[in-house]
Amino acid sequence: MSADVSSASSVVRTALRFGVGAGIVCSLWLVGLLLTGNDPFGPKRLMVIFLPPLAVIGSQWMLRRSSRPGGSGLKRTLAVGLLTAVVAATTSAVGTYGVAQLAGPEQLEKSKAAMLTIAAGSRADFLRQPNGKEQYDRTIEGLKSINAQGLATDDFTKKLLFGLLLSLPGGIFLRK
């Protein structure tokens, strides 16, 4: 019984360590963009989208390394990967919401205007696709309604998706 408790606590500890660390780095990136006068909600914010998947693989590798000689097993490796992805995405989304609140409505309006300009520039590309006009109109309406909660939700969704995509193959390859 104590081996199972120790096993579960090592999964949780490892996932928290890597997930919170990745989420904090993602949030600090946004703060850095804001402090340097860059748009923290523009395309540059996506430069850290690879961190949660790296944290997932790192946590699975660390669990494997600390579980020698028997190996960590598929269930534990998948669990640490999934938990790391959820924690990293949640921490990053909370940080994104905090930065959006810190930046204020003026920065959100500037970011919204920049995104609308980018979308307007790609209008011709939208119109070449089937149902492109409707898709373009939905994109414009979505951009017009951007707020702090929407940015945090978008950040959470993207980072969780990318983290989960790598947790399965990482769990399979790093199980032993």
Side-chain angles (χ1 to χ4, degrees):
M1 174 93 175
S2 69
D4 290 338
V5 170
S6 173
S7 170
S9 68
S10 69
V11 166
V12 171
R13 257 193 333 266
T14 304
L16 286 174
R17 182 179 303 136
F18 280 84
V20 170
I24 288 174
V25 170
C26 291
S27 300
L28 288 175
W29 174 253
L30 294 180
V31 170
L33 287 174
L34 181 65
L35 292 176
T36 58
N38 290 297
D39 182 9
F41 311 115
K44 288 183 183 177
R45 79 180 168 109
L46 297 177
M47 291 176 73
V48 291
I49 201 161
F50 67 91
L51 282 177
L54 287 177
V56 165
I57 297 298
S59 67
Q60 291 172 329
W61 178 78
M62 183 63 76
L63 184 68
R64 175 185 178 188
R65 196 174 127 218
S66 67
S67 299
R68 295 195 189 235
S72 54
L74 181 61
K75 190 163 57 168
R76 288 181 57 213
T77 307
L78 286 175
V80 77
L82 294 173
L83 190 56
T84 301
V86 169
V87 170
T90 302
T91 307
S92 179
V94 168
T96 300
Y97 181 79
V99 171
Q101 293 298 323
L102 177 70
E106 305 85 29
Q107 180 63 47
L108 284 175
E109 288 302 317
K110 284 184 355 187
S111 297
K112 192 184 304 186
M115 287 185 248
L116 285 168
T117 303
I118 291 170
S122 63
R123 185 172 194 266
D125 294 332
F126 275 102
L127 296 179
R128 281 190 220 122
Q129 299 173 2
N131 296 327
K133 173 83 169 104
E134 294 82 20
Q135 186 178 359
Y136 177 76
D137 292 339
R138 280 193 307 267
T139 300
I140 295 298
E141 288 304 313
L143 289 175
K144 287 181 180 178
S145 64
I146 286 180
N147 58 17
Q149 295 88 354
L151 288 169
T153 302
D154 180 59
D155 186 74
F156 176 80
T157 305
K158 287 178 180 171
K159 291 186 177 157
L160 181 65
L161 177 66
F162 286 124
L164 292 177
L165 282 175
L166 277 184
S167 68
L168 184 62
I172 291 170
F173 289 113
L174 295 171
R175 70 183 182 265
K176 289 187 180 186

